[in-house]
Short mmCIF file of all heavy atoms in Angstrom, two decimals:
data_model
loop_
_atom_site.label_atom_id
_atom_site.label_comp_id
_atom_site.label_asym_id
_atom_site.label_seq_id
_atom_site.Cartn_x
_atom_site.Cartn_y
_atom_site.Cartn_z
N PRO A 134 32.15 10.85 53.20
CA PRO A 134 31.27 11.48 54.20
C PRO A 134 31.98 12.43 55.15
O PRO A 134 31.34 13.26 55.79
CB PRO A 134 30.68 10.28 54.95
CG PRO A 134 31.62 9.15 54.70
CD PRO A 134 32.20 9.39 53.35
N ARG A 135 33.31 12.34 55.26
CA ARG A 135 34.04 13.21 56.18
C ARG A 135 34.50 14.51 55.54
O ARG A 135 35.25 15.28 56.15
CB ARG A 135 35.27 12.47 56.74
CG ARG A 135 34.96 11.22 57.53
CD ARG A 135 36.14 10.89 58.43
NE ARG A 135 36.12 9.52 58.90
CZ ARG A 135 36.82 9.10 59.93
NH1 ARG A 135 37.62 9.94 60.57
NH2 ARG A 135 36.78 7.84 60.31
N LEU A 136 34.07 14.77 54.35
CA LEU A 136 34.58 15.93 53.62
C LEU A 136 34.32 17.24 54.36
O LEU A 136 35.15 18.15 54.33
CB LEU A 136 33.97 15.98 52.22
CG LEU A 136 34.52 17.06 51.28
CD1 LEU A 136 36.02 16.87 51.05
CD2 LEU A 136 33.78 17.02 49.94
N ASP A 137 33.19 17.34 55.03
CA ASP A 137 32.88 18.57 55.76
C ASP A 137 33.78 18.79 56.97
O ASP A 137 33.87 19.90 57.49
CB ASP A 137 31.41 18.56 56.22
CG ASP A 137 30.45 18.72 55.05
OD1 ASP A 137 30.88 19.21 53.99
OD2 ASP A 137 29.27 18.34 55.20
N ASP A 138 34.45 17.74 57.41
CA ASP A 138 35.28 17.83 58.61
C ASP A 138 36.75 18.12 58.32
O ASP A 138 37.52 18.39 59.23
CB ASP A 138 35.20 16.52 59.42
CG ASP A 138 33.77 16.18 59.83
OD1 ASP A 138 33.02 17.14 60.13
OD2 ASP A 138 33.42 14.99 59.84
N TRP A 139 37.13 18.03 57.04
CA TRP A 139 38.53 18.19 56.67
C TRP A 139 38.67 19.13 55.47
O TRP A 139 37.85 19.10 54.56
CB TRP A 139 39.16 16.84 56.32
CG TRP A 139 39.25 15.90 57.47
CD1 TRP A 139 38.25 15.10 57.96
CD2 TRP A 139 40.39 15.69 58.31
NE1 TRP A 139 38.71 14.39 59.04
CE2 TRP A 139 40.01 14.73 59.28
CE3 TRP A 139 41.69 16.20 58.33
CZ2 TRP A 139 40.89 14.29 60.26
CZ3 TRP A 139 42.56 15.75 59.31
CH2 TRP A 139 42.17 14.80 60.27
N ASP A 140 39.73 19.92 55.48
CA ASP A 140 40.08 20.71 54.30
C ASP A 140 40.86 19.81 53.34
O ASP A 140 41.76 19.07 53.77
CB ASP A 140 40.93 21.91 54.67
CG ASP A 140 40.15 22.96 55.42
OD1 ASP A 140 38.93 23.07 55.18
OD2 ASP A 140 40.75 23.68 56.24
N ILE A 141 40.53 19.87 52.08
CA ILE A 141 41.23 19.11 51.05
C ILE A 141 41.89 20.07 50.09
O ILE A 141 41.25 20.99 49.58
CB ILE A 141 40.28 18.19 50.27
CG1 ILE A 141 39.62 17.16 51.20
CG2 ILE A 141 41.03 17.49 49.14
CD1 ILE A 141 40.50 16.04 51.62
N GLU A 142 43.17 19.87 49.84
CA GLU A 142 43.89 20.64 48.83
C GLU A 142 44.26 19.70 47.69
O GLU A 142 44.88 18.66 47.91
CB GLU A 142 45.15 21.27 49.41
CG GLU A 142 44.88 22.31 50.50
CD GLU A 142 46.18 22.88 51.08
OE1 GLU A 142 47.26 22.54 50.55
OE2 GLU A 142 46.10 23.65 52.05
N ILE A 143 43.86 20.05 46.47
CA ILE A 143 44.20 19.26 45.29
C ILE A 143 45.14 20.06 44.40
O ILE A 143 44.80 21.15 43.96
CB ILE A 143 42.94 18.86 44.50
CG1 ILE A 143 41.99 18.04 45.39
CG2 ILE A 143 43.33 18.05 43.26
CD1 ILE A 143 40.67 17.71 44.71
N VAL A 144 46.32 19.53 44.19
CA VAL A 144 47.31 20.14 43.30
C VAL A 144 47.46 19.21 42.10
O VAL A 144 47.48 17.99 42.25
CB VAL A 144 48.67 20.31 44.01
CG1 VAL A 144 49.71 20.91 43.05
CG2 VAL A 144 48.51 21.18 45.25
N SER A 145 47.55 19.77 40.91
CA SER A 145 47.72 18.96 39.72
C SER A 145 48.79 19.58 38.84
O SER A 145 48.78 20.79 38.60
CB SER A 145 46.39 18.86 38.95
OG SER A 145 46.48 17.85 37.97
N SER A 146 49.71 18.76 38.37
CA SER A 146 50.91 19.28 37.69
C SER A 146 51.16 18.55 36.38
O SER A 146 50.79 17.39 36.21
CB SER A 146 52.14 19.13 38.59
OG SER A 146 51.92 19.71 39.86
N ASP A 147 51.83 19.25 35.47
CA ASP A 147 52.19 18.67 34.19
C ASP A 147 53.41 19.42 33.66
O ASP A 147 53.66 20.56 34.06
CB ASP A 147 51.04 18.79 33.19
CG ASP A 147 51.09 17.72 32.12
OD1 ASP A 147 52.00 17.77 31.26
OD2 ASP A 147 50.24 16.80 32.14
N ILE A 148 54.14 18.80 32.76
CA ILE A 148 55.29 19.45 32.13
C ILE A 148 54.85 20.31 30.95
O ILE A 148 55.57 21.19 30.50
CB ILE A 148 56.32 18.39 31.67
CG1 ILE A 148 57.67 19.05 31.36
CG2 ILE A 148 55.80 17.57 30.50
CD1 ILE A 148 58.78 18.05 31.08
N ASP A 149 53.64 20.05 30.46
CA ASP A 149 53.11 20.71 29.26
C ASP A 149 52.32 21.95 29.66
O ASP A 149 51.24 21.86 30.25
CB ASP A 149 52.21 19.71 28.52
CG ASP A 149 51.66 20.24 27.21
OD1 ASP A 149 51.59 21.47 27.04
OD2 ASP A 149 51.26 19.41 26.36
N THR A 150 52.84 23.13 29.34
CA THR A 150 52.18 24.37 29.77
C THR A 150 50.87 24.62 29.05
O THR A 150 49.94 25.18 29.62
CB THR A 150 53.12 25.57 29.55
OG1 THR A 150 53.57 25.58 28.18
CG2 THR A 150 54.32 25.49 30.48
N GLU A 151 50.76 24.20 27.79
CA GLU A 151 49.51 24.42 27.05
C GLU A 151 48.40 23.53 27.60
O GLU A 151 47.26 23.96 27.73
CB GLU A 151 49.72 24.13 25.56
CG GLU A 151 48.46 24.34 24.71
CD GLU A 151 47.80 25.69 24.94
OE1 GLU A 151 48.51 26.71 25.03
OE2 GLU A 151 46.55 25.73 25.03
N ILE A 152 48.73 22.30 27.96
CA ILE A 152 47.70 21.42 28.51
C ILE A 152 47.26 21.90 29.89
O ILE A 152 46.11 21.72 30.29
CB ILE A 152 48.19 19.95 28.57
CG1 ILE A 152 46.98 18.99 28.49
CG2 ILE A 152 48.99 19.66 29.80
CD1 ILE A 152 46.27 18.98 27.17
N LEU A 153 48.16 22.56 30.63
CA LEU A 153 47.77 23.15 31.92
C LEU A 153 46.76 24.28 31.71
O LEU A 153 45.79 24.40 32.47
CB LEU A 153 49.01 23.67 32.65
CG LEU A 153 49.90 22.61 33.30
CD1 LEU A 153 51.23 23.23 33.74
CD2 LEU A 153 49.22 21.96 34.49
N ASN A 154 47.00 25.11 30.70
CA ASN A 154 46.03 26.17 30.40
C ASN A 154 44.68 25.59 30.01
O ASN A 154 43.62 26.10 30.40
CB ASN A 154 46.56 27.07 29.29
CG ASN A 154 47.73 27.92 29.73
OD1 ASN A 154 47.84 28.27 30.91
ND2 ASN A 154 48.60 28.28 28.81
N GLN A 155 44.72 24.51 29.25
CA GLN A 155 43.48 23.84 28.85
C GLN A 155 42.76 23.28 30.08
O GLN A 155 41.53 23.38 30.20
CB GLN A 155 43.79 22.72 27.86
CG GLN A 155 42.58 22.04 27.28
CD GLN A 155 42.97 20.99 26.25
OE1 GLN A 155 43.96 21.16 25.51
NE2 GLN A 155 42.23 19.91 26.19
N ALA A 156 43.53 22.71 31.01
CA ALA A 156 42.93 22.16 32.23
C ALA A 156 42.27 23.25 33.06
O ALA A 156 41.18 23.06 33.62
CB ALA A 156 43.99 21.43 33.04
N ARG A 157 42.93 24.39 33.15
CA ARG A 157 42.36 25.50 33.93
C ARG A 157 41.03 25.97 33.34
O ARG A 157 40.15 26.42 34.05
CB ARG A 157 43.35 26.66 33.99
CG ARG A 157 44.61 26.35 34.80
CD ARG A 157 45.51 27.58 34.91
NE ARG A 157 46.75 27.25 35.60
CZ ARG A 157 47.92 27.08 35.00
NH1 ARG A 157 48.02 27.21 33.67
NH2 ARG A 157 49.00 26.79 35.70
N ARG A 158 40.89 25.87 32.01
CA ARG A 158 39.63 26.28 31.38
C ARG A 158 38.50 25.31 31.69
O ARG A 158 37.33 25.71 31.74
CB ARG A 158 39.83 26.41 29.86
CG ARG A 158 40.70 27.59 29.45
CD ARG A 158 40.63 27.85 27.96
NE ARG A 158 41.31 26.84 27.19
CZ ARG A 158 42.60 26.89 26.83
NH1 ARG A 158 43.34 27.93 27.19
NH2 ARG A 158 43.15 25.93 26.11
N GLY A 159 38.83 24.03 31.88
CA GLY A 159 37.82 23.06 32.26
C GLY A 159 36.72 22.83 31.24
O GLY A 159 35.55 22.65 31.59
N ARG A 160 37.09 22.79 29.98
CA ARG A 160 36.11 22.67 28.89
C ARG A 160 36.39 21.35 28.15
O ARG A 160 37.50 21.12 27.67
CB ARG A 160 36.24 23.86 27.95
CG ARG A 160 35.15 24.01 26.90
CD ARG A 160 35.26 25.38 26.25
NE ARG A 160 34.24 25.58 25.22
CZ ARG A 160 34.48 25.39 23.92
NH1 ARG A 160 35.69 25.01 23.50
NH2 ARG A 160 33.51 25.61 23.03
N TYR A 161 35.35 20.49 28.04
CA TYR A 161 35.59 19.12 27.60
C TYR A 161 34.64 18.67 26.49
O TYR A 161 33.50 19.13 26.41
CB TYR A 161 35.47 18.17 28.80
CG TYR A 161 36.51 18.47 29.85
CD1 TYR A 161 36.18 19.20 30.99
CD2 TYR A 161 37.83 18.09 29.67
CE1 TYR A 161 37.15 19.52 31.93
CE2 TYR A 161 38.80 18.40 30.60
CZ TYR A 161 38.46 19.12 31.73
OH TYR A 161 39.42 19.44 32.64
N THR A 162 35.14 17.74 25.68
CA THR A 162 34.33 17.12 24.65
C THR A 162 33.53 15.97 25.26
O THR A 162 33.75 15.55 26.40
CB THR A 162 35.21 16.56 23.53
OG1 THR A 162 36.04 15.50 24.07
CG2 THR A 162 36.11 17.64 22.94
N HIS A 163 32.62 15.44 24.45
CA HIS A 163 31.80 14.32 24.92
C HIS A 163 32.66 13.12 25.26
O HIS A 163 32.34 12.36 26.19
CB HIS A 163 30.77 13.94 23.84
CG HIS A 163 29.87 12.82 24.27
ND1 HIS A 163 30.13 11.50 24.00
CD2 HIS A 163 28.71 12.84 24.98
CE1 HIS A 163 29.18 10.75 24.51
NE2 HIS A 163 28.30 11.53 25.10
N ARG A 164 33.76 12.92 24.54
CA ARG A 164 34.61 11.77 24.83
C ARG A 164 35.15 11.82 26.25
O ARG A 164 35.27 10.79 26.93
CB ARG A 164 35.77 11.70 23.83
CG ARG A 164 36.61 10.45 23.98
CD ARG A 164 37.82 10.43 23.07
NE ARG A 164 38.53 9.16 23.17
CZ ARG A 164 39.31 8.82 24.17
NH1 ARG A 164 39.49 9.66 25.17
NH2 ARG A 164 39.92 7.64 24.19
N SER A 165 35.49 13.00 26.74
CA SER A 165 36.06 13.13 28.08
C SER A 165 35.07 12.79 29.17
O SER A 165 35.44 12.30 30.24
CB SER A 165 36.59 14.55 28.30
OG SER A 165 37.73 14.81 27.52
N ILE A 166 33.78 13.06 28.92
CA ILE A 166 32.78 12.91 29.98
C ILE A 166 31.92 11.66 29.78
O ILE A 166 30.93 11.46 30.49
CB ILE A 166 31.88 14.17 30.08
CG1 ILE A 166 31.26 14.54 28.72
CG2 ILE A 166 32.69 15.35 30.59
CD1 ILE A 166 29.97 13.86 28.39
N GLN A 167 32.29 10.79 28.84
CA GLN A 167 31.43 9.67 28.46
C GLN A 167 31.16 8.70 29.61
O GLN A 167 30.13 8.01 29.63
CB GLN A 167 32.04 8.91 27.28
CG GLN A 167 33.41 8.30 27.56
CD GLN A 167 34.00 7.65 26.34
OE1 GLN A 167 33.28 7.09 25.52
NE2 GLN A 167 35.32 7.72 26.19
N ASN A 168 32.06 8.61 30.60
CA ASN A 168 31.87 7.67 31.71
C ASN A 168 31.17 8.29 32.91
O ASN A 168 30.95 7.61 33.92
CB ASN A 168 33.22 7.10 32.16
CG ASN A 168 33.80 6.12 31.16
OD1 ASN A 168 33.11 5.68 30.25
ND2 ASN A 168 35.07 5.79 31.32
N LEU A 169 30.84 9.56 32.84
CA LEU A 169 30.16 10.21 33.96
C LEU A 169 28.67 9.90 33.93
O LEU A 169 28.03 9.99 32.88
CB LEU A 169 30.35 11.73 33.89
CG LEU A 169 31.71 12.29 34.29
CD1 LEU A 169 31.74 13.80 34.04
CD2 LEU A 169 32.03 11.99 35.75
N PRO A 170 28.09 9.56 35.08
CA PRO A 170 26.63 9.38 35.13
C PRO A 170 25.94 10.69 34.75
O PRO A 170 26.43 11.78 35.06
CB PRO A 170 26.37 9.03 36.61
CG PRO A 170 27.68 8.53 37.13
CD PRO A 170 28.74 9.28 36.37
N PRO A 171 24.79 10.62 34.09
CA PRO A 171 24.07 11.84 33.69
C PRO A 171 23.78 12.77 34.87
O PRO A 171 23.80 13.99 34.70
CB PRO A 171 22.78 11.29 33.07
CG PRO A 171 23.14 9.93 32.59
CD PRO A 171 24.14 9.41 33.57
N SER A 172 23.54 12.21 36.04
CA SER A 172 23.25 13.06 37.21
C SER A 172 24.45 13.92 37.58
O SER A 172 24.29 15.10 37.94
CB SER A 172 22.85 12.19 38.40
OG SER A 172 23.90 11.29 38.74
N LEU A 173 25.65 13.37 37.49
CA LEU A 173 26.86 14.15 37.81
C LEU A 173 27.17 15.16 36.71
O LEU A 173 27.65 16.26 36.99
CB LEU A 173 28.05 13.22 38.04
CG LEU A 173 27.95 12.25 39.22
CD1 LEU A 173 29.27 11.52 39.41
CD2 LEU A 173 27.56 12.98 40.49
N LEU A 174 26.91 14.78 35.48
CA LEU A 174 27.11 15.71 34.37
C LEU A 174 26.21 16.92 34.54
O LEU A 174 26.65 18.07 34.36
CB LEU A 174 26.82 14.99 33.05
CG LEU A 174 27.18 15.75 31.77
CD1 LEU A 174 28.67 16.06 31.71
CD2 LEU A 174 26.75 14.94 30.55
N ALA A 175 24.96 16.69 34.91
CA ALA A 175 24.03 17.81 35.10
C ALA A 175 24.39 18.64 36.33
O ALA A 175 24.17 19.85 36.35
CB ALA A 175 22.60 17.26 35.24
N LYS A 176 24.96 18.00 37.33
CA LYS A 176 25.25 18.68 38.60
C LYS A 176 26.50 19.54 38.52
O LYS A 176 26.56 20.62 39.11
CB LYS A 176 25.41 17.63 39.70
CG LYS A 176 25.55 18.19 41.11
CD LYS A 176 25.55 17.05 42.12
CE LYS A 176 25.66 17.56 43.55
NZ LYS A 176 25.63 16.44 44.53
N TYR A 177 27.52 19.09 37.79
CA TYR A 177 28.82 19.76 37.84
C TYR A 177 29.25 20.40 36.52
O TYR A 177 30.33 21.01 36.46
CB TYR A 177 29.90 18.76 38.29
CG TYR A 177 29.70 18.27 39.70
CD1 TYR A 177 29.25 16.99 39.96
CD2 TYR A 177 29.94 19.11 40.79
CE1 TYR A 177 29.07 16.53 41.26
CE2 TYR A 177 29.76 18.68 42.09
CZ TYR A 177 29.32 17.38 42.32
OH TYR A 177 29.13 16.94 43.61
N PHE A 178 28.45 20.27 35.46
CA PHE A 178 28.82 20.82 34.16
C PHE A 178 27.65 21.58 33.56
O PHE A 178 26.49 21.36 33.92
CB PHE A 178 29.20 19.69 33.17
CG PHE A 178 30.44 18.93 33.55
CD1 PHE A 178 30.38 17.94 34.53
CD2 PHE A 178 31.64 19.16 32.92
CE1 PHE A 178 31.51 17.21 34.87
CE2 PHE A 178 32.78 18.44 33.25
CZ PHE A 178 32.71 17.47 34.23
#
Side-chain angles (χ1 to χ4, degrees):
R135 299 201 198 197
L136 187 60
D137 289 340
D138 301 324
W139 294 82
D140 290 330
I141 299 284
E142 295 178 5
I143 301 175
V144 178
S145 193
S146 307
D147 206 290
I148 195 172
D149 183 338
T150 54
E151 181 51 43
I152 207 68
L153 285 168
N154 290 332
Q155 185 177 326
R157 292 184 184 104
R158 290 192 289 270
R160 190 168 179 263
Y161 298 100
T162 64
H163 182 267
R164 186 184 185 284
S165 290
I166 53 87
Q167 61 184 325
N168 288 347
L169 285 175
S172 60
L173 297 187
L174 189 61
K176 187 174 181 179
Y177 295 107
F178 295 79

